[in-house]
Amino acid sequence: MAVKGGYSNLGCGPDEERLIPTEGGRMSLFKARDWWSVVLGEGEEFDHGCLCVGDVDNSGSGYDKIAVGSYMGLLRIYSPHASKPGSGALAEDQLLEVQLRDPIIQLEIGKFVSCSDLLHLSVLHPRKLSVYAVTATAGNVEHGIQYQLRLVYEHNLQRTACNMTYGPFGGVTGHHFICIQSMDGMLMFFEQESYAFGRFLPGFLLPGPLCYCARTDTFITVSSTRQVESYKYEALAVATDTDAEQQRKASGKRLTADWTLVIGEQALDIIVPTFTSTSSIFVLGERNLYCLKDNGQIRFMKKLEYNPSCFLPYASVSEGTTNLLMGNHNSMLLVYQDVMLKWASQLSCVPVAVCVANFQDLKGVVVTLSGEGHLQCSYMGTDPSFFMAPRVEAREINYEEVDAEMKALQKIIKEATRTQDIFPKMNKEEDLTVTATVSGSVDSVSDNLLIDSVHSYSLAPKIQVKSRLAVQNPKLNVCVQPPLTVTQEQFVLDSMGPGSTSFVVFSVFLNEKYPPAELGGDVTVSYSTPTGMSNQLPLVRVAQCKFTLPLQLVCLPSAPSKNAKYKITIDTNKPLVSLGDVFPEFMEKSEEKEGNTLAFQLISSSIVTVQASKTTQRYRIQSEVFEDMWLVTKELLQRFNTFFAEQGVKDFRNSFAGPIPLQEFFDIVDHHFELRVNAEKYQDLLSERAVQFRAIQRRLLTRFKDKTPAPLQNLDTLMEGTYRQVIALADAAEENRASLCQAFARLRSATHLLITLLSLWQGLSPDQTAILEATLLPLLQDTPQLGWEESVDAAVSHLLRTCLSRSPKDQALSLSTSQLSMPKDMARLKKHITLLCDRLGKGGRLSLSAEANVQIPVIMPGTCEPIPEVDLEEPPLLQESSAKFIKKRQSSKRAKGNTGKMLLHPS
């Protein structure tokens, strides 16, 4: 029991029964000192079984955590730390909060898993018993530990549960079994993951408290006849069946109590302490406290002058005695040594559950929980008070200075909002710098690295890690976009001193039969730097860099293709440049020596041809696969900018005259969405077959355990057929998953190409292009929970309602809070993307700020037929808009007719 400050510990022995004042006692002696407290939710209800303490996350530190469950189904886990009086709990004190579906009746911590010696959390619901594992994942920053609640197993109950107890039933060692008492008097026994048996208590009317005594292997309860009853586990195991009809007719042993004791009142709780050598059973009645021996004889009893609410025996330093904490409905916490009152403390609320826990800053803390959710950690005694009220200096308020300060702060906030900086700017020199060097030469990949016999080339980037200060435990991670892969993704480096340098070399190659969406990679190095303080943990920092892989890694020079299905044309404002000057490494191996045509053979894919016009300043890119043009188009634009920058040309511009290939893009979207739908279908079919397979297994197991063998009735044949179906569905699902990964990579390539064409079409600034890329490419990886379609639909809808709205009055700056889910079809998404391109064609500007979001009217040629806009709230009907192309206006002509959208049918 923790006692701080004013008085020494009470109830520890006959020699310490008097109050001995110590230094600094200035506050009320008989009031529990609040060490840590928190109020759990609003309108939630709690009872006796909703509180338990223990090392639930198996940290091994010896310190306890507090687990609290409510009748509203909320499970919370806390690790309290000392806080200032009145400040309440800190945010980091709450480790976990999970909303469960059913009300929580009781929580227990024990060894409930057969294959593990770790502690697990058992949660009792009215119709279900769940066992969870609480795991902690260490982070790289302070307060970065993440706690997760993982379901290990659960049992669905056929009867409504009242309470439960646990222990080593039958003398088992190293594990705990669970016994649940139902509302109709049935004891259900669970041997961890399996249900053992169930027995009805004789003469049952209403359930009472239940406790297990490991010394005698008995279960103790108080029945509706107001008597304490003890049942041996062995007698329960060999008794007749649970059904009442069979119990009357069966010839087996009837269940009888080992001993009984009439107490004449209903019991609130039963506790069997395990820390004392004396055999004691404590029963808390409505007006009396009983201490019984293991054979049911009364050791002592205490008549109470109040209505108790909860109690807890705890260890005493006096031999042969036991201390008790007793809470009552007068908000008092009483300390007894056997029957003698040793201490009384006032609480702030009526406790319904009480525990004693050991925390990092204080041991023996009293943890109480009220029915309204007031969780309090307190100790006995007083605190010294050194607070002195400061002198108040009255001064007049200068309103002019306040107004000037307010205007300055508003200006700073406005500038910070307008810049929209995501990452903080680092002014000081970095402690660790990472540099990537990529050579232009590629090598053939060895056969042991190839997958599906893909002919590929490899490249070996060189990473340099240089430290300015001493760094500890540097870890380097490499990430590339699939289907690119690296020979090693993680490297653990040795600790580095000031000025030291380390090098890391790895190989990058293509291992699938489709091109990647990006030829780039990221290198991240996490490390820690000492703070110089012995009592502080080292600071964890991260350094990163990016590298770009050459185009030769994924394609080879090839013979040009004259005819192609898909073509795009890039306009420039400068004279034609020979493709041999732009792609010298490809022109050396190409058969075309004039420099007007160059072809790229993508590995395991199509041929992409680049043609330079002989009369105009245009370049045509064509291929049989639409998304394969992306990498070549990106490389061509980047090399054009680099070439003219080296020539000293500052006004070089690329442009795209249209049309925007929306229909080709939508075909790729449809294919990706179809594979996602198939993945859900395979998942549902697998779940059905798995349920069927487990049901057949249970029936076969029942037949095999039966003492009188019965025919299998073709259950073995049905099981074999179901197993084959499960294997076939699993193979089909895996094949669909691989196809989905490939489709997502192709979708990202097509989206990159669409963004580039839109940027060239309207001359978007880099900031606007970044917003468009974040809108159409919000995900780096597809998941079953969140896919590309619903994410893009939400982002595009937000742009259409804000910066691309038809008028400032229609702008809705509030974000939608609805949960994203996979759409039923692609009609709505296609309509929104078409409308996005249409409004960009009318002069709409992409901006994240609320200012200057009004569209600029653009005069369009009179030959273009305007198409009325569709309201976003209308049903998603996409008739012909997705098949129409958006054509750029001719800047050299002055329109004299109607203005409208630039949607033209393909010629």
Side-chain angles (χ1 to χ4, degrees):
M1 182 66 61
V3 177
K4 294 179 63 177
Y7 287 83
S8 63
N9 196 1
L10 297 181
C12 297
D15 298 333
E16 299 182 83
E17 294 180 3
R18 295 180 298 171
L19 307 184
I20 305 174
T22 59
E23 182 182 359
R26 299 183 182 180
M27 297 186 182
S28 172
L29 176 64
F30 299 103
K31 182 178 181 181
R33 308 310 309 153
D34 189 0
W35 182 72
W36 181 90
S37 63
V38 66
V39 179
L40 308 177
E42 294 181 3
E44 297 187 50
E45 295 180 5
F46 303 81
D47 206 348
H48 168 70
C50 297
L51 172 68
C52 69
V53 297
D55 191 11
V56 67
D57 60 339
N58 299 281
S59 62
S61 60
Y63 303 126
D64 296 327
K65 281 78 178 177
I66 303 176
V68 185
S70 71
Y71 284 169
M72 304 303 171
L74 276 169
L75 176 62
R76 301 176 177 93
I77 299 179
Y78 293 93
S79 178
H81 295 82
S83 59
K84 297 181 180 179
S87 62
L90 301 176
E92 55 266 25
D93 291 346
Q94 183 170 355
L95 306 182
L96 189 66
E97 180 174 347
V98 179
Q99 173 68 61
L100 303 180
R101 295 183 178 180
D102 302 315
I104 299 175
I105 300 177
Q106 189 173 345
L107 298 175
E108 296 292 349
I109 298 176
K111 300 179 181 179
F112 301 127
V113 179
S114 59
C115 57
S116 174
D117 292 331
L118 301 178
L119 296 178
H120 290 76
L121 180 64
S122 175
V123 182
L124 180 62
H125 301 289
R127 285 282 185 169
K128 184 169 58 177
L129 172 66
S130 303
V131 175
Y132 296 93
V134 179
T135 57
T137 304
N140 290 329
V141 296
E142 187 180 7
H143 311 309
I145 299 179
Q146 298 180 356
Y147 288 84
Q148 295 180 350
L149 188 70
R150 178 176 59 86
L151 178 64
V152 181
Y153 65 87
E154 64 180 8
H155 294 289
N156 293 319
L157 307 179
Q158 301 298 326
R159 302 175 184 274
T160 304
C162 176
N163 51 27
M164 68 174 174
T165 185
Y166 72 98
F169 304 163
V172 66
T173 58
H175 293 90
H176 293 152
F177 296 160
I178 298 176
C179 175
I180 300 176
Q181 181 179 204
S182 66
M183 297 296 292
D184 56 354
M186 179 180 177
L187 297 183
M188 296 171 284
F189 294 87
F190 296 89
E191 296 180 357
Q192 290 154 355
E193 292 88 349
S194 61
Y195 172 73
F197 59 91
R199 298 291 182 265
F200 277 101
L201 295 177
F204 183 88
L205 181 60
L206 292 175
L210 181 66
C211 186
Y212 173 74
C213 180
R215 293 188 299 268
T216 58
D217 197 22
T218 57
F219 293 87
I220 304 167
T221 183
V222 177
S223 65
S224 301
T225 57
R226 298 187 175 183
Q227 65 179 5
V228 183
E229 300 177 354
S230 175
Y231 297 92
K232 284 190 173 292
Y233 178 76
E234 182 181 0
L236 291 168
V238 300
T240 53
D241 198 11
T242 59
D243 187 44
E245 292 290 334
Q246 296 181 10
Q247 190 171 8
R248 289 194 294 265
K249 298 177 181 179
S251 59
K253 295 182 180 179
R254 296 190 60 184
L255 181 60
T256 57
D258 185 39
W259 55 261
T260 60
L261 175 67
V262 178
I263 60 175
E265 61 180 344
Q266 185 59 40
L268 301 180
D269 197 6
I270 303 175
I271 297 180
V272 178
T274 58
F275 49 80
T276 178
S277 59
T278 59
S279 57
S280 300
I281 301 171
F282 289 90
V283 181
L284 179 62
E286 298 174 337
R287 286 293 182 180
N288 298 276
L289 173 66
Y290 303 89
C291 179
L292 311 179
K293 298 180 181 179
D294 287 344
N295 57 2
Q297 296 179 0
I298 297 179
R299 183 183 301 275
F300 65 83
M301 65 173 291
K302 170 70 176 177
K303 184 175 178 60
L304 306 176
E305 303 297 333
Y306 46 81
N307 293 327
S309 59
C310 59
F311 86 120
L312 176 71
Y314 68 97
S316 173
V317 295
S318 300
E319 185 69 24
T321 62
T322 303
N323 289 0
L324 294 102
L325 287 175
M326 184 81 67
N328 60 23
H329 286 273
N330 297 329
S331 301
M332 295 289 294
L333 185 65
L334 309 175
V335 181
Y336 287 90
Q337 188 177 50
D338 287 345
V339 296
M340 185 176 295
L341 178 63
K342 291 292 185 179
W343 195 273
S345 297
Q346 182 70 43
L347 298 176
S348 59
C349 54
V350 177
V352 296
V354 60
C355 294
V356 176
N358 296 326
F359 300 122
Q360 183 174 0
D361 301 321
L362 187 62
K363 295 184 178 180
V365 179
V366 179
V367 183
T368 56
L369 176 67
S370 70
E372 295 77 25
H374 187 87
L375 181 63
Q376 181 180 2
C377 296
S378 56
Y379 55 88
M380 307 299 175
T382 61
D383 275 332
S385 177
F386 303 103
F387 175 78
M388 295 181 63
R391 296 179 58 184
V392 179
E393 297 181 2
R395 60 187 182 92
E396 297 182 357
I397 300 176
N398 190 336
Y399 292 99
E400 294 181 356
E401 294 181 358
V402 173
D403 291 341
E405 184 180 2
M406 178 63 71
K407 291 180 181 179
L409 292 176
Q410 289 178 347
K411 184 178 180 180
I412 294 174
I413 294 174
K414 186 176 181 180
E415 290 296 331
T417 307
R418 181 177 298 176
T419 55
Q420 298 291 335
D421 286 338
I422 300 177
F423 298 101
K425 297 180 179 179
M426 302 296 294
N427 296 325
K428 65 177 182 179
E429 186 179 357
E430 295 289 345
D431 298 336
L432 190 105
T433 57
V434 185
T435 307
T437 305
V438 180
S439 62
S441 60
V442 296
D443 301 322
S444 297
V445 179
S446 59
D447 295 336
N448 57 349
L449 295 179
L450 291 179
I451 297 180
D452 295 336
S453 301
V454 178
H455 180 72
S456 179
Y457 294 94
S458 67
L459 193 69
K462 185 177 183 181
I463 308 300
Q464 177 184 356
V465 182
K466 185 176 182 180
S467 63
R468 185 176 63 89
L469 302 175
V471 298
Q472 301 173 355
N473 304 323
K475 298 178 181 179
L476 186 144
N477 294 309
V478 183
C479 178
V480 293
Q481 296 298 322
L484 292 174
T485 187
V486 295
T487 53
Q488 185 175 348
E489 295 181 350
Q490 298 181 353
F491 299 87
V492 179
L493 308 179
D494 297 331
S495 298
M496 304 173 63
S500 60
T501 305
S502 297
F503 295 93
V504 173
V505 179
F506 54 90
S507 296
V508 185
F509 60 94
L510 193 71
N511 69 340
E512 293 290 345
K513 298 181 179 180
Y514 58 93
E518 295 180 5
L519 285 176
D522 298 306
V523 178
T524 305
V525 180
S526 62
Y527 61 95
S528 58
T529 57
T531 59
M533 304 293 291
S534 60
N535 58 347
Q536 291 185 1
L537 295 175
L539 298 177
V540 179
R541 300 182 182 274
V542 175
Q544 57 185 358
C545 74
K546 296 181 180 294
F547 61 89
T548 303
L549 301 173
L551 191 62
Q552 301 98 297
L553 187 63
V554 295
C555 64
L556 301 170
S558 176
S561 176
K562 298 181 180 179
N563 298 323
K565 184 178 180 181
Y566 303 103
K567 302 176 183 179
I568 58 175
T569 303
I570 305 298
D571 296 335
T572 62
N573 60 348
K574 296 299 177 183
L576 288 177
V577 180
S578 173
L579 295 179
D581 297 337
V582 180
F583 294 94
E585 68 276 18
F586 286 92
M587 187 58 68
E588 293 176 357
K589 303 177 182 179
S590 176
E591 299 177 359
E592 182 69 28
K593 300 301 180 181
E594 296 181 2
N596 294 330
T597 304
L598 188 61
F600 304 86
Q601 171 68 58
L602 295 178
I603 297 177
S604 300
S605 190
S606 62
I607 298 177
V608 181
T609 305
V610 180
Q611 294 180 347
S613 176
K614 297 181 180 180
T615 57
T616 60
Q617 302 170 359
R618 295 181 177 181
Y619 302 86
R620 171 174 291 179
I621 306 170
Q622 59 187 17
S623 176
E624 289 294 331
V625 181
F626 174 73
E627 61 271 15
D628 285 353
M629 295 187 293
W630 155 240
L631 291 178
V632 177
T633 303
K634 178 184 178 182
E635 190 75 15
L636 179 66
L637 297 178
Q638 290 179 349
R639 297 204 179 195
F640 275 165
N641 294 330
T642 304
F643 178 81
F644 285 103
E646 292 176 354
Q647 299 296 328
V649 178
K650 298 182 179 179
D651 58 344
F652 173 73
R653 294 290 182 272
N654 295 310
S655 61
F656 178 68
I660 299 296
L662 282 182
Q663 184 57 47
E664 288 81 351
F665 176 70
F666 289 155
D667 291 340
I668 300 174
V669 173
D670 290 336
H671 178 62
H672 177 262
F673 180 71
E674 181 184 356
L675 291 176
R676 287 190 63 194
V677 173
N678 292 340
E680 281 198 348
K681 292 181 180 178
Y682 284 129
Q683 185 67 29
D684 295 340
L685 289 174
L686 266 175
S687 300
E688 293 177 2
R689 294 298 180 270
V691 171
Q692 178 179 333
F693 187 73
R694 287 192 294 268
I696 299 172
Q697 280 184 323
R698 285 194 296 268
R699 292 196 177 187
L700 279 175
L701 186 60
T702 304
R703 297 287 178 90
F704 292 151
K705 284 185 176 181
D706 196 355
K707 296 181 180 179
T708 58
L712 297 180
Q713 297 179 350
N714 296 325
L715 283 177
D716 52 345
T717 305
L718 184 59
M719 180 178 178
E720 183 180 357
T722 306
Y723 174 75
R724 292 178 179 177
Q725 292 180 0
V726 170
I727 296 300
L729 286 173
D731 293 340
E734 182 64 22
E735 182 180 355
N736 186 82
R737 186 198 61 81
S739 301
L740 185 60
C741 293
Q742 177 178 350
F744 184 67
R746 293 187 177 276
L747 177 60
R748 294 187 69 234
S749 299
T751 308
H752 276 298
L753 181 59
L754 180 67
I755 294 171
T756 302
L757 296 181
L758 287 173
S759 178
L760 297 177
W761 179 49
Q762 286 298 314
L764 301 180
S765 64
D767 293 339
Q768 291 178 319
T769 305
I771 295 174
L772 188 61
E773 185 172 351
T775 303
L776 297 180
L777 286 172
L779 302 176
L780 290 177
Q781 185 178 3
D782 237 354
T783 60
Q785 294 78 18
L786 184 64
W788 180 88
E789 288 79 5
E790 54 265 30
S791 303
V792 171
D793 190 19
V796 173
S797 300
H798 178 68
L799 289 182
L800 294 177
R801 291 188 178 96
T802 52
C803 59
L804 293 181
S805 60
R806 287 173 290 187
S807 63
K809 297 180 181 179
D810 298 336
Q811 292 185 5
L813 297 181
S814 60
L815 295 175
S816 175
T817 58
S818 60
Q819 186 176 2
L820 298 182
S821 59
M822 191 172 71
K824 297 181 179 179
D825 52 41
M826 291 291 94
R828 177 185 173 89
L829 177 61
K830 293 178 182 178
K831 180 186 68 175
H832 287 174
I833 295 178
T834 304
L835 194 56
L836 170 70
C837 299
D838 179 36
R839 291 187 181 177
L840 286 176
K842 291 178 59 178
R845 290 188 296 172
L846 298 174
S847 175
L848 294 179
S849 62
E851 301 177 0
N853 281 341
V854 183
Q855 286 187 213
I856 301 176
V858 179
I859 300 177
M860 308 298 293
T863 57
C864 299
E865 179 183 1
I867 296 179
E869 296 189 40
V870 182
D871 194 0
L872 291 179
E873 301 301 327
E874 293 180 358
L877 297 176
L878 185 66
Q879 299 174 354
E880 298 181 358
S881 58
S882 62
K884 298 180 180 180
F885 290 171
I886 304 174
K887 189 172 179 64
K888 182 183 178 185
R889 64 185 186 279
Q890 299 294 333
S891 58
S892 61
K893 296 183 180 180
R894 184 72 175 178
K896 300 181 181 179
N898 299 330
T899 62
K901 296 188 176 180
M902 207 60 180
L903 294 182
L904 301 181
H905 290 281
S907 56

